[in-house]
């Protein structure tokens, strides 16, 4: 009766101890913290004088004690010096997954007898801690005179602890693994970011060098070209026959084309370099439209193209030369890509705080496949209708429009015509200097 009552009390204590160990182990994140947490709990749960956690070194094929309690410093040294291997029954049994209890008289094949006797051990129990498929270590408990007996349920008790421990170790190892892979990932990301930064720097250096080269070449070309055009003008004032004059006109036209190409290249270089500066002034879009339409009139007439325009006044703060370039490009393209006797209409209006300009032609149209890239530099539609040009006009047009905070879009129908539409932010009326735009502009808002 008394024994049974004691048994229940112990079982209860063991269950409580298992629970406590389980809880304490569950907070650990480092496998190396497991042994010390275990030994104290095992000792108090079993009532044994000595408890230890040994680790199994698969490489060295021996056991070493990672934590123990209940030994004097000398005894600890003796234990550390042991490092038993599978030649001992207690180790071999553990490696095979068995827990066991040994009592005197000890067999030297099973345990280090001299050590056990020196400590006056009355029973020694061991259980392997198996994590996954591998023996991680052993729980070892030893009693001395006066300790509760391990014989009855010592092995079973240790098995319970070993199972909990294995779970905890598995968990901490998984956490470690996760942290390591996380760190490896972070390192890889950092390295990749560094490499990319280098590449980006390299590219932007190359880009700057290219822009500088373009800028200086364009600049160097512009000076002699301007001089050539000056002399062409002078020669034009001299006496010459019709044939000579027509040759001179070809020279002049080509020199002008070259000059405008060089100017376009210079603008591209400036935009690349972030140096595209706008000389912003108060201006009226309607005036710009009228001027551009008038300067395109001769070209339209040469192809008998009807060129008409209607423009509402629209106050803008923009670079007049650059915006004129936008209109000139769109109108001259419309004329260039419209067959003789076609029609080009330029319309400008204001709506929703924006000024809008549309250049519509009855020309050849732009194939759907080309519309995406049409604003890219040097992009030209291939085909039988290709006219002469460098493919820079629309790229520059878009660059200028973007720099003004505007948008450009197009609609086109192959064989029927194309419509380019530009929107630009309207100038706030109160910011417009009085007298420049006049009352007409104000009345449009
Ligand atoms: P370029 O006219 O010098 O070739 P752009 O950049 O001005 O260069 O135009 C790019 C291409 O877009 C042109 O080659 C042409 O094929 C097409 N394109 C431009 N405007 C029109 C238009 N109004 N109608 C048809 N095609 C056009």
């Amino acid at each position: 009766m008394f024994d049974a009552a004691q048994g229940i009390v112990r079982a209860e204590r063991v269950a409580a101890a298992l629970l406590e160990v389980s809880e304490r182990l569950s907070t650990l994140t480092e496998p190396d913290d497991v042994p010390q947490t275990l030994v104290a709990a095992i000792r108090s749960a079993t009532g044994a004088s000595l408890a230890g956690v040994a680790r199994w070194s698969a490489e060295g094929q021996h056991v070493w004690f990672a934590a123990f309690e209940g030994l004097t410093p000398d005894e600890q040294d003796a234990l550390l010096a042991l490092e038993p291997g599978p030649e001992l029954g207690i180790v071999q049994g553990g490696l095979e997954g068995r827990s066991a209890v040994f009592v005197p008289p000890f067999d030297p094949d099973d345990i280090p007898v001299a050590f056990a006797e020196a400590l006056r051990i009355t029973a020694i129990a061991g259980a392997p801690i198996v994590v996954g498929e591998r023996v991680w270590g052993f729980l070892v408990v030893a009693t001395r005179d006066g300790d509760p007996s391990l014989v009855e349920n010592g092995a079973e008790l240790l098995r319970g602890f070993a199972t909990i421990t294995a779970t905890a170790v598995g968990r901490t190892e998984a956490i470690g693994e996760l942290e390591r892979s996380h760190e490896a990932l972070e390192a890889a990301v950092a390295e990749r970011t560094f490499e990319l930064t280098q590449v980006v720097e390299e590219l932007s250096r190359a880009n700057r060098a290219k822009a500088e080269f373009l800028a200086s070449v364009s600049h160097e070309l512009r000076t002699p070209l301007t001089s050539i055009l000056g002399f062409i003008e002078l020669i034009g004032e001299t006496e010459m026959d019709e044939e000579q004059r027509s040759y001179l006109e070809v020279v002049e036209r080509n020199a002008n084309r070259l000059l405008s190409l060089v100017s376009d290249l210079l603008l591209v270089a400036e935009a690349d370099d972030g140096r595209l500066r706008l000389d912003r002034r108060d201006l009226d879009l309607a005036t710009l439209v009228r001027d551009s339409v008038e300067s395109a009139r001769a070209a339209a007439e040469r192809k008998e193209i009807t060129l008409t325009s209607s423009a509402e006044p629209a106050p803008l703060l923009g670079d007049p030369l650059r915006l004129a370039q936008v209109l000139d490009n769109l109108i001259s393209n419309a004329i260039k890509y419209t067959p003789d006797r076609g029609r080009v209409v330029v319309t400008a209006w204001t709506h929703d705080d924006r000024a809008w300009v549309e250049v519509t032609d009855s020309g050849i149209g732009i194939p759907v496949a080309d519309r995406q890239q049409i604003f890219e530099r040097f992009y030209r539609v291939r085909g039988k209708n290709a006219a002469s040009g460098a493919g820079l006009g629309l790229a520059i047009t878009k660059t200028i429009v973007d720099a003004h905070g505007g948008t450009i879009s197009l609609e086109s129908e192959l064989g029927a015509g194309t419509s380019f539409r530009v929107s630009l932010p309207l100038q706030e009326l109160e910011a417009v200097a009085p007298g420049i735009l006049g009352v007409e502009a104000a009345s449009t808002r």
Side-chain angles (χ1 to χ4, degrees):
M1 206 39 217
F2 179 73
D3 270 0
Q6 248 193 354
I8 292 171
V9 169
R10 214 172 39 234
E12 217 178 87
R13 221 178 54 202
V14 165
L18 282 172
L19 188 67
E20 195 200 323
V21 171
S22 170
E23 276 171 359
R24 286 183 49 193
L25 289 179
S26 72
T27 62
L28 299 181
T29 53
E30 270 293 326
D32 289 349
D33 293 341
V34 171
Q36 199 53 54
T37 309
L38 265 175
V39 282
I42 297 169
R43 209 155 72 109
S44 86
T46 56
S49 294
L50 312 167
V53 173
R55 294 291 314 276
W56 169 245
S57 161
E59 213 170 273
Q61 289 287 299
H62 68 83
V63 157
W64 55 277
F65 279 83
F68 38 76
E69 276 198 1
L71 297 177
T72 66
D74 281 349
E75 290 165 347
Q76 286 183 18
D77 289 344
L79 182 67
L80 287 176
L82 279 180
E83 298 202 341
E87 67 281 357
L88 275 185
I90 189 170
V91 175
Q92 185 56 41
L95 289 175
E96 287 165 6
R98 276 178 276 126
S99 12
V101 181
F102 299 88
V103 289
F106 295 121
D107 185 340
D109 285 344
D110 286 335
I111 55 171
V113 175
F115 181 73
E117 283 174 351
L119 290 177
R120 293 183 316 283
I121 283 170
T122 55
I124 181 161
I129 301 163
V130 184
V131 178
E133 299 280 281
R134 113 196 104 96
V135 173
W136 182 81
F138 304 92
L139 295 182
V140 184
V141 177
T143 53
R144 282 167 153 168
D145 269 343
D147 291 350
S149 166
L150 284 177
V151 179
E152 234 173 76
N153 54 6
E156 198 180 323
L157 187 61
L158 284 193
R159 255 205 310 277
F161 276 117
T163 309
I164 293 174
T165 309
T167 311
V169 169
R171 217 190 88 255
T172 53
E173 284 185 348
I175 291 173
E177 195 64 38
L178 207 64
E179 270 170 7
R180 271 191 298 282
S181 61
H182 186 78
E183 276 162 20
L185 197 67
E186 265 182 1
V189 168
E191 195 182 325
R192 197 82 193 97
T193 310
F194 178 73
E195 282 171 13
L196 282 175
T197 319
Q198 303 274 86
V199 171
V200 168
E201 268 172 23
E202 195 77 14
L203 282 176
S204 81
R205 254 199 307 277
N207 213 21
R208 264 200 311 278
K210 187 194 77 185
E212 274 164 24
F213 171 76
L214 259 181
S216 80
V217 168
S218 310
H219 204 81
E220 292 306 312
L221 284 173
R222 209 150 60 154
T223 317
L225 265 175
T226 316
S227 152
I228 288 170
L229 279 162
F231 280 104
I232 289 173
E233 205 179 323
L234 279 182
I235 296 168
E237 285 165 11
T238 60
E239 287 278 317
M240 64 180 81
D241 60 35
E242 216 162 285
E243 197 181 0
Q244 285 169 327
R245 191 161 297 281
S246 79
Y247 291 157
L248 190 66
E249 274 167 14
V250 173
V251 173
E252 187 179 22
R253 204 163 44 247
N254 281 308
N256 268 320
R257 241 165 74 185
L258 212 50
L259 186 64
S260 94
L261 182 62
V262 166
S263 303
D264 285 353
L265 281 173
L266 200 58
L267 191 135
V268 165
E270 282 176 5
D272 270 2
D273 217 13
R275 284 186 299 116
L276 180 62
R277 259 195 280 283
L278 296 178
D279 183 11
R280 286 182 192 265
R281 288 151 197 262
D282 294 318
L283 50 91
D284 177 20
L285 185 61
T287 312
L288 286 185
V289 168
R290 268 194 299 275
D291 291 351
S292 285
V293 167
E294 281 328 302
S295 57
R297 191 154 307 281
E301 275 167 7
R302 273 198 293 277
K303 292 177 77 178
E304 293 180 52
I305 286 174
T306 318
L307 172 62
T308 57
S309 72
S310 78
E312 276 181 33
L316 294 181
L317 185 63
D319 186 326
L321 286 180
R322 296 294 185 214
L323 289 178
Q325 200 173 352
V326 166
L327 294 168
D328 290 346
N329 278 343
L330 293 178
I331 297 169
S332 68
N333 271 352
I335 294 170
K336 185 156 90 177
Y337 297 105
T338 296
D340 290 359
R341 286 177 291 285
R343 190 168 30 83
V344 173
V345 182
V346 187
T347 324
W349 71 100
T350 62
H351 179 69
D352 273 355
D353 288 340
R354 294 187 89 77
W356 300 83
V357 194
E358 196 170 71
V359 180
T360 304
D361 63 56
S362 61
I364 57 173
I366 297 169
V368 179
D370 295 294
R371 286 178 206 167
Q372 198 78 21
Q373 288 153 288
I374 204 100
F375 295 106
E376 286 173 14
R377 278 174 207 163
F378 305 111
Y379 189 84
R380 312 198 61 231
V381 178
R382 292 161 196 272
K384 55 182 175 15
N385 289 317
S388 68
L392 271 176
L394 285 180
I396 283 171
T397 299
K398 182 165 162 42
T399 302
I400 296 172
V401 169
D402 286 347
H404 280 84
T407 63
I408 182 163
S409 60
L410 76 97
E411 274 175 28
S412 186
E413 196 178 323
L414 219 51
T418 305
S419 191
F420 280 92
R421 183 179 279 202
V422 172
S423 91
L424 294 162
L426 272 181
Q427 164 79 311
E428 290 297 326
L429 272 189
E430 49 276 22
V432 179
I436 292 187
L437 295 170
V439 187
E440 206 185 20
S443 67
T444 65
R445 299 288 307 262

